[in-house]
């Protein structure tokens, strides 16, 4: 899939495999038959990303009860993910997309700007994939406050 044509709602998400915080290679197809909440975030241990990760942690049991798997993806290495999980008791898997192939596939690896400096990075986004592997909802350029609740509402509907 071309980075210029990100996956859109209603289309089947191509399978991908990334190294995970559990020590395994995790593929999207491993979760066929379950809903998948895929959230992309810029960086472990930064304030906004920590807030989002902790919001997913705090809603995790409700998401799990609703039949969803939660996967977090950032370009950070597994060593960073391990510290992030440990420090904040995150109960779900984090995937390392160090070469941002999956981020590009979803169109969330974009040019950003901070303090006048241009750089490439993750635009905070969440995707809900149904039991058949079809993208059913997307939240792009996410504002963290209240976001996880709206994801939970979508999973439950």
């Amino acid at each position: 899939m071309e980075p210029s044509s990100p996956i859109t709602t209603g289309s089947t998400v191509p399978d991908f495999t990334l190294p995970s915080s559990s020590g395994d290679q995790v593929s999207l197809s491993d979760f066929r038959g379950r809903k998948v909440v895929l959230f992309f975030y810029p960086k472990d241990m930064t304030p906004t990303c920590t807030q989002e990760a902790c919001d997913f942690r705090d809603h995790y049991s409700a998401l799990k009860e609703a039949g969803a798997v939660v996967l977090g993806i950032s370009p950070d290495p597994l060593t960073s993910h391990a510290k992030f999980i440990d420090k904040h008791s995150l109960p779900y898997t984090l995937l390392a997309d160090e070469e941002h192939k999956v981020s590009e596939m979803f169109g969330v690896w974009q040019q950003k700007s901070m303090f006048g400096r241009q750089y490439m990075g993750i635009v905070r986004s969440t995707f809900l994939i149904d039991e058949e592997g079809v993208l059913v909802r997307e939240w792009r350029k996410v504002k963290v406050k209240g976001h996880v609740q709206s994801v939970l509402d979508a999973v439950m509907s």
Side-chain angles (χ1 to χ4, degrees):
M1 179 152 278
E2 295 296 310
S4 60
S5 61
I7 296 161
T8 53
T9 304
S11 61
T12 299
V13 178
D15 197 23
F16 61 81
T17 303
L18 287 172
S20 81
S21 54
S22 62
D24 303 319
Q25 293 287 319
V26 169
S27 298
L28 181 61
S29 57
D30 297 343
F31 304 105
R32 199 46 69 87
R34 296 169 75 187
K35 293 176 184 164
V36 176
V37 172
L38 206 56
F39 76 97
F40 289 85
Y41 65 99
K43 191 154 183 51
D44 291 340
M45 304 293 192
T46 56
T48 308
C49 293
T50 298
Q51 182 61 59
E52 182 181 29
C54 291
D55 287 353
F56 273 110
R57 175 198 65 204
D58 297 345
H59 287 77
Y60 180 72
S61 58
L63 285 159
K64 193 174 169 185
E65 255 173 57
V69 175
V70 176
L71 299 173
I73 298 181
S74 88
D76 293 306
L78 292 176
T79 50
S80 175
H81 282 349
K83 290 179 190 139
F84 195 40
I85 288 168
D86 197 43
K87 182 169 183 180
H88 299 288
S89 306
L90 305 179
Y92 48 80
T93 301
L94 296 180
L95 303 177
D97 189 19
E98 290 185 77
E99 299 184 352
H100 38 84
K101 291 197 181 349
V102 177
S103 304
E104 287 179 25
M105 186 169 93
F106 279 87
V108 300
W109 184 257
Q110 296 176 15
Q111 186 165 321
K112 297 169 80 174
S113 148
M114 188 186 302
F115 307 119
R117 188 176 70 89
Q118 303 285 316
Y119 63 98
M120 294 300 288
I122 297 267
V123 175
R124 186 181 319 281
S125 304
T126 302
F127 300 89
L128 176 59
I129 301 165
D130 75 7
E131 296 84 349
E132 279 77 55
V134 174
L135 179 62
V136 290
R137 280 290 303 272
E138 54 185 296
W139 295 263
R140 293 183 182 272
K141 296 185 168 90
V142 164
K143 300 284 179 251
V144 171
K145 188 170 172 50
H147 172 61
V148 175
Q149 183 62 53
S150 73
V151 172
L152 177 59
D153 293 345
V155 166
M156 293 171 70
S157 68

